[in-house]
Amino acid sequence: MTALVLDAPGAFHLAETEPAPPGPGDARIRVHASGICGSDRELYQGNRPKGYVRYPVTPGHEWSGTVEAVGAGVPSALVGRKVVGEGFRNCQVCDRCHAGDTTLCTAGYEETGFTQPGAMADTLTLPARLLHLLSEGADLGAAALLEPAACVAAAALKANVRPGERVAVVGTGTLGMIAVQFLAAASPAELLVVGVRPDRERLSLSFGATAFRTRDQPAARGGYDVVIETAGSASAARTSAALPRRGGRLVLTGIPAAGADGLDPTDLVVRQIEVRTVFGAPPAAWAHAVRVFDAGLLTLLPLITHELPLTDFATAIELVGSGDPKVGKVLLRPGGA
């Protein structure tokens, strides 16, 4: 098989190896597609926080594929099934894992594509317990976006939007556009999208938004019951924090650069804003995202703008960081499939 190996920040090569048989409890996946997001670019540039990366590593935490082999103790009926999979390699025995909060596992951080081999390769081997089965007719290209969709599902579950509430999404990237779809399903009275890309207005409205504003256009400060931030910048977090009403709910999903100016704690306390955060997705959020996707209620294909072979990794990583509004989700297709 061919695998992309990131030896160190900015240095990578393609390696040819024989795929090992899956061990007990494992499954080997024939990768269909692997998505690239901002955290992969951080990995490439060397900006990933210490403790959340281990070089050399094969990147790829957003992926879809088909089970081609299973190890001892794994049902053979999984072979041939279309799947996606959780990235966090949790211990399953600590108190947080028992509570279902597997992304808070106290045994330490391990994640596919960052500290464990990822999906920018022809095959990926991981514990079968992390897999989520897709329907037979699932589009595997679209399914490669189910990892970010699961993170948005985690945010939506924490936000607990109720029908008739006023809701805002800050950010117009992949996460933002998926968030609009999840939140529109809750029948809000208003669903505002705030971002830096005016070209996303039409797409936002088609996904269920009722209004669109760029960040330089004033929105109703303090007028929203729920605000979900998806942009991953300190400025987006501050914009988001200004939008909830007194006692409103704010969910942050992006990770700003280390040392970025934070939110004003005095403002949050005086306005009694409930702040929650998302880092990865626990099993319940994955199950929710896959269920919505398989029901045909999640539109992901329009978010994909580029599909490139694994050999074009350097081009793909540059596209992701180009700032070009024509660039949406970039997928790598191992084996040129």
Side-chain angles (χ1 to χ4, degrees):
M1 73 173 208
T2 301
L4 186 138
V5 179
L6 192 56
D7 301 292
F12 67 91
H13 72 280
L14 291 176
E16 300 290 335
T17 62
E18 279 294 323
D26 289 344
R28 190 173 71 224
I29 313 302
R30 175 62 54 175
V31 177
H32 177 86
S34 180
I36 300 179
C37 80
S39 55
D40 293 304
R41 187 167 170 82
E42 289 179 354
L43 190 69
Y44 178 72
Q45 294 178 320
N47 298 328
R48 184 82 172 164
K50 186 178 179 181
Y52 292 87
V53 61
R54 187 160 55 241
Y55 301 99
V57 67
T58 293
H61 63 288
E62 302 179 5
W63 60 270
S64 63
T66 304
V67 179
E68 69 171 19
V70 296
V74 180
S76 60
L78 285 180
V79 175
R81 291 296 304 269
K82 294 179 179 179
V83 293
V84 290
E86 299 173 33
F88 280 72
R89 307 291 186 92
N90 53 83
C91 75
Q92 295 187 286
V93 296
C94 72
D95 63 338
R96 290 297 85 210
C97 284
H98 281 305
D101 296 325
T102 54
T103 59
L104 298 175
C105 177
T106 59
Y109 171 81
E110 294 286 348
E111 185 176 3
T112 298
F114 296 107
T115 64
Q116 296 288 334
M120 293 185 190
D122 292 335
T123 67
L124 167 66
T125 298
L126 76 168
R129 61 183 172 80
L130 298 177
L131 297 179
H132 288 262
L133 304 182
L134 303 174
S135 63
E136 185 176 335
D139 185 304
L140 283 176
L145 276 67
L146 279 171
E147 192 278 340
C151 294
V152 171
L157 291 171
K158 288 187 175 186
N160 190 28
V161 175
R162 293 179 283 272
E165 289 191 311
R166 301 183 68 207
V167 182
V169 173
V170 177
T172 49
T174 299
L175 289 176
M177 294 299 94
I178 296 174
V180 171
Q181 298 181 62
F182 272 102
L183 297 174
S187 300
E190 179 181 348
L191 178 48
L192 170 70
V193 175
V194 180
V196 296
R197 292 181 54 180
D199 61 295
R200 288 289 202 175
E201 179 174 6
R202 180 178 297 179
L203 193 59
S204 299
L205 296 176
S206 74
F207 285 155
T210 61
F212 183 94
R213 298 281 187 276
T214 56
R215 284 204 215 155
D216 57 356
Q217 295 174 308
R221 177 182 172 88
Y224 293 88
D225 300 289
V226 177
V227 179
I228 294 184
E229 177 276 326
T230 68
S233 69
S235 62
R238 289 192 292 272
T239 296
S240 300
L243 294 175
R245 61 167 172 78
R246 289 175 60 85
R249 309 188 296 281
L250 171 64
V251 183
L252 304 174
T253 70
I255 304 177
D261 291 337
L263 306 181
D264 181 352
T266 301
D267 178 59
L268 295 176
V269 172
V270 169
R271 292 166 57 214
Q272 299 182 61
I273 302 300
E274 178 184 333
V275 181
R276 306 198 71 179
T277 63
V278 170
F279 178 51
W286 269 96
H288 183 41
V290 170
R291 183 169 54 248
V292 171
F293 175 74
D294 268 344
L297 302 176
L298 196 56
T299 302
L300 300 175
L301 279 177
L303 302 178
I304 302 169
T305 59
H306 296 76
E307 297 186 45
L308 303 172
L310 196 61
T311 50
D312 284 350
F313 171 76
T315 300
I317 209 76
E318 288 304 315
L319 280 170
V320 170
S322 67
D324 185 342
K326 295 180 181 179
V327 177
K329 175 57 66 175
V330 179
L331 298 184
L332 288 177
R333 299 288 294 273

